[in-house]
Amino acid sequence: MPACTTDVKTVSNVDAAYGRKLDWLLVSVDLGYRHSSGLVVTNEATYLKMDEVVHSLRAAFASTGVSTEFVTEESAVPAATASFRPTQMLNIRVSSHTKDMGNPNAFTLKCEVRGAATQKRIWLSTITFEASQTAGTRLLRAASKKAADNFADNLVGRLRQDRLI
């Protein structure tokens, strides 16, 4: 699997002093829209769908040896933390987006890994879908699965590149 695909721009920063690999990772995904299942583009199409992002992340992490648990509601984090007992937590959030004629045409996801016990930041990454890359496909329903796969592949690829998995 490549570290990054050409559809997105990925930047990361890892704490060099953190001397271990990810092992028990609680992943919290928030695409920023409380009344929607994803990053809405129009009434007919969604560029990133929550269920597709989680499915793509599960698939990307499957071969890494990292045990994962996923939550999509902030209110579910305490219960998931108590039952799963993660050593690290990965928070994924939409940090910015721009619109063209009412439709998102570029957006950035902030991905942050923290130690579960200390809450110290271990890793920070931004993954940006740029306007030139989303504009041509943003109205296609199939684009959301491709975007979710690209996001997951970039995230896991960057974690590998930064030697956390």
Side-chain angles (χ1 to χ4, degrees), residues 78-95:
T81 301
S83 64
F84 182 64
R85 299 188 181 266
T87 52
Q88 301 95 6
M89 300 176 78
L90 168 60
N91 296 306
I92 300 169
R93 306 283 181 264
V94 175
S95 62

Side-chain angles (χ1 to χ4, degrees), residues 64-78:
T64 65
V66 178
S67 297
T68 56
E69 180 70 27
F70 292 85
V71 295
T72 58
E73 296 287 332
E74 190 68 31
S75 61
V77 171

Side-chain angles (χ1 to χ4, degrees), residues 69-140:
E69 180 70 27
F70 292 85
V71 295
T72 58
E73 296 287 332
E74 190 68 31
S75 61
V77 171
T81 301
S83 64
F84 182 64
R85 299 188 181 266
T87 52
Q88 301 95 6
M89 300 176 78
L90 168 60
N91 296 306
I92 300 169
R93 306 283 181 264
V94 175
S95 62
S96 66
H97 68 279
T98 59
K99 292 186 176 186
D100 179 23
M101 296 177 59
N103 295 320
N105 67 346
F107 54 93
T108 298
L109 298 170
K110 177 181 174 184
C111 308
E112 183 177 42
V113 175
R114 291 188 174 268
T118 64
Q119 291 301 306
K120 181 180 177 188
R121 184 167 62 201
I122 299 164
W123 183 78
L124 177 65
S125 178
T126 57
I127 300 177
T128 301
F129 290 75
E130 295 178 337
S132 62
Q133 294 154 346
T134 61
T137 58
R138 69 178 179 216
L139 296 179
L140 299 175

Side-chain angles (χ1 to χ4, degrees), residues 4-73:
C4 298
T5 68
T6 58
D7 290 330
V8 296
K9 176 182 166 187
T10 306
V11 177
S12 67
N13 185 336
V14 65
D15 179 355
Y18 189 73
R20 66 185 289 179
K21 303 277 188 184
L22 301 180
D23 47 11
W24 292 89
L25 186 67
L26 177 62
V27 182
S28 172
V29 182
D30 180 356
L31 297 181
Y33 294 87
R34 295 282 173 234
H35 305 291
S36 161
S37 61
L39 185 62
V40 174
V41 174
T42 69
N43 290 334
E44 296 82 32
T46 302
Y47 198 76
L48 277 180
K49 294 179 182 175
M50 184 74 76
D51 60 337
E52 290 176 350
V53 169
V54 170
H55 181 267
S56 295
L57 286 168
R58 279 187 205 282
F61 273 108
S63 65
T64 65
V66 178
S67 297
T68 56
E69 180 70 27
F70 292 85
V71 295
T72 58
E73 296 287 332

